[in-house]
Amino acid sequence: MDYKKYIAERLTVEGVSEEEIYCSISLPPNSEMGDYALPCFKFSKVLRKSPVMIAEGLKSSYKTDDVIKEVSAVNGYLNFKVNKVGLASAVLNEILDGKEKFGASEEGKGKTVCIDYSSVNIAKPFHIGHLSTTVIGGALYKLFKFLGYNVVGINHLGDYGTQFGKLICAYKHWGDKDEVEKGGIHAINELYVRFNSEADEKMEKEAREYFRLIESGDKEANEIFEWFKALTLKYVQGIYEKLGVTFDSYAGERFFIDKMQPVIDELRAKNLLKESEGAQIVDLEAYGMPPCLILRSDGASLYATRDLAAAYYRKNTYDFDKCLYVVAYQQNLHFKQLFKVLELMGNEWAKDMVHVAYGMVSLEDGAMSTRKGKVVWLEDVINKCVEKACAIVEEKNPGLENKREIAEKVGVGAVIFGALYNNKIKDIVFSYDKVLSFDGETSVYVQYTCARANSVLSKAEEEISIPEGYEPAAQEFEVIKQLASFPAILKEAADKYEPCYIARFAVDLAQKFNKFYIDCKILSAEGDAKNFRLALTKAVLQALKNALTILGIGIPEKM
Ligand code: ARG
């Protein structure tokens, strides 16, 4: 049950929507004052009254009941005290009945969200720079599904461009079939790097010719290209499996080459296309942006042209309610231009396109992404994290069974959580020690808390039943309130496209549970207290599992 909603539904503030009231209600850090609080200074401007007066007014009109027992107005805050017994039993029942469905909803029923994420480039390294798009997109994918949406995960492959002519040329000169087959993406990438450092004018010319051959449907050139593509996809799919992400479509840039003409025709028909130095552009000066290049002077299409065609295709194919692009903020301008052009073309749905931008990831030693040949492959980061996790597990608990499996979950989880824990727009410096710390704000800490809860539950002999009328102590009630907030957190995370809210929820819940665990006996308690605490432990474990699962993180039974 969403208590914030319960309160918001029962409050009327003139000129303020229920949604706004809902979002303003917070959990005060000190629950002496109240369990939920509504700061009223935000409404001062609309109501032209002081926050103190507003709070007083709201207090006198609010009718308390069996759910909200007490309302007080203090210093411009409206504080609510809930019926602790009622809330505790409602929350525990909801979780233990709902199990893996706890937090799920039907709000997305009948709505479709397209999520463009990870979008790998064929034959190029899959590096640390692709971490955020992959795990943020993957988490949003699972989150929207959990909220009942129909979700289409799209990997908009970077599979078009003159670089493929260069690659084929390099392969023809220096390549070896078996070596490439064996070395996969690494071998292909080496060929590409070598071309860029060694190719002379003659090879450059050949490369252009190979590109033209791919374009014109030449059998051999296309076979080589398809082979490179297959090797790249096979490679990234191994990583996707580890990270637990999936896609429903791999329609990449090449897929849209024969779908651009109608869009170009429409641009022309709507008088949006202008010639500039031989190229075709859409002038966006009136909107404070440089022009959007549609066709180069040689008639070749651009990244934006293919994205325009892709947007139409997605609308026509999936009839989305939202179309998200999980792409680094470096492409802010590209998406602003793209959305503006779609709007100028008269598409009312242009407002449903969202660029979910995120910041850069760098490693502690300063290494980043593609400085010539010096690339940090994402696979290496994952492997290193798993190796380190192995050593930690070995040191902490050498007697454990399935240590390797546990270390996989811990190591991979740490990589995911490391990229998800902060607001997505922030640049992050990835530190192995930090993400693998047992007592930081980490997935390891959350996983360890799950193992602790599991261990308590496995030692309990009785069937777990929720006692009636049990009045929770302060530490217990903190956990209850945190649990109760989960559905609202999920909704907020979806509204703002911020998986980090879920990650923070998990850390907060783990911290509150651990405080309860240290302060209150569980297994040696008796009667209702014991029952309640066991039920609470079970509920915490379930909520943590649900949260981590949405983020794509596995939960070891033991650690
Ligand atoms: N492959 C592109 C890159 O690595 C990202 C593609 C994002 N999606 C899109 N529809 N433009 O930069």
Side-chain angles (χ1 to χ4, degrees):
M1 173 164 184
D2 188 347
Y3 273 56
K4 277 168 66 173
K5 188 144 182 258
Y6 190 90
I7 295 170
E9 278 167 3
R10 284 161 183 75
L11 281 171
T12 3
V13 184
E14 216 178 300
V16 182
S17 69
E18 187 184 311
E19 176 83 12
E20 262 175 275
I21 298 179
Y22 174 88
C23 292
S24 307
I25 298 174
S26 58
L27 299 184
N30 173 1
S31 47
E32 298 276 283
M33 304 286 277
D35 299 310
Y36 294 93
L38 177 71
C40 296
F41 54 85
K42 295 182 181 167
F43 312 134
S44 266
K45 226 178 168 171
V46 202
L47 296 181
R48 296 162 179 254
K49 276 192 208 158
S50 75
V52 172
M53 275 168 73
I54 298 170
E56 288 292 345
L58 288 173
K59 177 192 172 286
S60 56
S61 64
Y62 191 92
K63 286 198 186 59
T64 54
D65 56 17
D66 208 32
V67 177
I68 304 297
K69 282 193 328 196
E70 208 183 301
V71 183
S72 58
V74 182
N75 299 332
Y77 280 81
L78 197 58
N79 295 326
F80 301 87
K81 282 206 171 153
V82 310
N83 176 344
K84 291 194 168 56
V85 176
L87 177 57
S89 103
V91 168
L92 292 182
N93 276 303
E94 188 182 341
I95 300 175
L96 300 187
D97 288 347
K99 302 206 176 68
E100 62 279 354
K101 290 243 152 59
F102 169 59
S105 85
E106 304 233 312
E107 72 160 75
K109 210 171 167 194
K111 290 191 200 136
T112 297
V113 182
C114 290
I115 311 182
D116 178 325
Y117 70 107
S118 196
S119 299
V120 294
N121 299 319
I122 298 303
K124 289 243 187 88
F126 194 57
H127 55 75
I128 180 89
H130 295 108
L131 173 60
S132 300
T133 173
T134 307
V135 301
I136 292 173
L140 291 176
Y141 184 88
K142 295 190 208 56
L143 172 62
F144 279 103
K145 280 217 158 159
F146 204 57
L147 299 182
Y149 290 84
N150 173 35
V151 191
V152 187
I154 302 171
N155 201 319
H156 185 78
L157 300 179
D159 55 2
Y160 183 85
T162 50
Q163 72 269 29
F164 296 105
K166 296 181 183 173
L167 252 179
I168 294 182
C169 177
Y171 173 68
K172 286 278 183 183
H173 280 261
W174 307 308
D176 173 88
K177 187 158 192 289
D178 293 338
E179 255 170 51
V180 171
E181 194 60 57
K182 226 171 84 217
I185 189 156
H186 292 92
I188 302 173
N189 182 52
E190 264 163 39
L191 286 173
Y192 187 62
V193 171
R194 183 162 172 195
F195 185 97
N196 282 335
S197 68
E198 290 179 29
D200 54 14
E201 197 36 53
K202 191 169 150 272
M203 276 181 83
E204 293 281 358
K205 198 170 154 229
E206 266 178 58
R208 284 193 289 276
E209 177 57 15
Y210 277 119
F211 176 64
R212 202 194 58 75
L213 283 174
I214 307 178
E215 288 304 279
S216 61
D218 174 78
K219 188 158 171 284
E220 195 208 357
N222 275 286
E223 270 169 12
I224 301 177
F225 168 75
E226 289 298 333
W227 177 44
F228 288 164
K229 177 171 160 183
L231 287 173
T232 309
L233 288 183
K234 188 169 152 226
Y235 172 82
V236 289
Q237 263 146 6
I239 297 175
Y240 290 154
E241 239 163 71
K242 279 193 182 168
L243 297 175
V245 300
T246 52
F247 299 89
D248 305 290
S249 161
Y250 281 89
E253 296 188 43
R254 179 169 300 274
F255 179 78
F256 296 104
I257 296 302
D258 62 3
K259 298 172 183 62
M260 295 182 304
Q261 197 54 49
V263 184
I264 295 167
D265 292 344
E266 195 181 326
L267 280 168
R268 194 164 281 130
K270 292 191 167 146
N271 260 327
L272 289 164
L273 225 47
K274 260 194 190 169
E275 194 178 311
S276 165
E277 294 167 34
Q280 299 291 320
I281 61 155
V282 176
D283 186 356
L284 297 174
E285 206 186 332
Y287 309 96
M289 286 183 249
C292 181
L293 221 54
I294 303 292
L295 292 173
R296 280 206 305 247
S297 53
D298 62 2
S301 67
L302 290 111
Y303 182 52
T305 328
R306 300 186 286 274
D307 253 334
L308 276 174
Y312 272 91
Y313 178 83
R314 288 175 194 177
K315 185 64 195 173
N316 294 335
T317 310
Y318 307 114
D319 194 22
F320 57 74
D321 293 89
K322 284 260 182 268
C323 181
L324 315 182
Y325 296 83
V326 186
V327 184
Y329 64 60
Q330 278 88 344
Q331 294 193 29
N332 276 354
L333 177 62
H334 167 72
F335 286 105
K336 264 175 77 182
Q337 291 178 314
L338 178 68
F339 301 165
K340 186 48 104 183
V341 172
L342 288 168
E343 183 196 318
L344 292 174
M345 292 173 84
N347 299 299
E348 166 279 325
W349 48 268
K351 66 172 187 350
D352 304 324
M353 321 285 283
V354 184
H355 175 203
V356 179
Y358 60 82
M360 303 257 287
V361 182
S362 55
L363 292 185
E364 268 179 317
D365 61 9
M368 235 147 49
S369 48
T370 33
R371 236 165 285 134
K372 249 195 181 156
K374 189 181 176 279
V375 181
V376 183
W377 294 70
L378 180 53
E379 182 193 22
D380 295 339
V381 174
I382 296 174
N383 289 343
K384 192 164 167 189
C385 225
V386 171
E387 284 325 309
K388 283 184 180 262
C390 257
I392 294 173
V393 172
E394 183 65 52
E395 187 201 310
K396 292 239 173 201
N397 201 344
L400 269 183
E401 276 173 49
N402 313 327
K403 274 184 284 197
R404 183 75 212 182
E405 210 180 289
I406 293 168
E408 278 275 336
K409 286 185 179 158
V410 171
V412 173
V415 175
I416 298 176
F417 208 82
L420 281 182
Y421 192 68
N422 289 302
N423 283 62
K424 59 188 183 301
I425 201 66
K426 284 198 183 147
D427 290 338
I428 32 187
V429 179
F430 188 91
S431 147
Y432 291 100
D433 293 337
K434 248 198 201 145
V435 299
L436 282 168
S437 153
F438 265 70
D439 44 27
E441 295 171 352
T442 60
S443 50
V444 190
Y445 174 72
V446 179
Q447 287 168 322
Y448 184 70
T449 307
C450 290
R452 172 176 268 181
N454 255 319
S455 148
V456 171
L457 294 169
S458 70
K459 287 186 198 133
E461 275 139 23
E462 49 274 270
E463 271 287 311
I464 292 173
S465 69
I466 304 162
E468 258 175 60
Y470 179 82
E471 172 97 31
Q475 298 92 327
E476 294 165 334
F477 195 60
E478 284 305 310
V479 179
I480 289 285
K481 273 202 296 179
Q482 181 70 17
L483 287 169
S485 70
F486 188 52
I489 297 272
L490 293 182
K491 190 171 157 18
E492 214 178 328
D495 285 350
K496 303 214 168 99
Y497 315 111
E498 281 285 15
C500 74
Y501 294 169
I502 305 170
R504 284 196 208 139
F505 164 86
V507 167
D508 285 352
L509 179 58
Q511 284 172 346
K512 286 177 176 157
F513 173 78
N514 284 318
K515 182 158 173 32
F516 149 77
Y517 176 87
I518 290 162
D519 290 354
C520 309
K521 307 181 277 229
I522 303 177
L523 290 165
S524 59
E526 277 173 12
D528 278 359
K530 182 171 186 180
N531 268 324
F532 182 86
R533 289 172 189 170
L534 284 172
L536 188 61
T537 304
K538 198 169 173 185
V540 166
L541 179 59
Q542 189 64 59
L544 290 178
K545 275 188 182 169
N546 292 9
L548 290 187
T549 304
I550 293 174
L551 303 181
I553 297 173
I555 300 116
E557 286 263 320
K558 293 183 183 169
M559 261 170 88

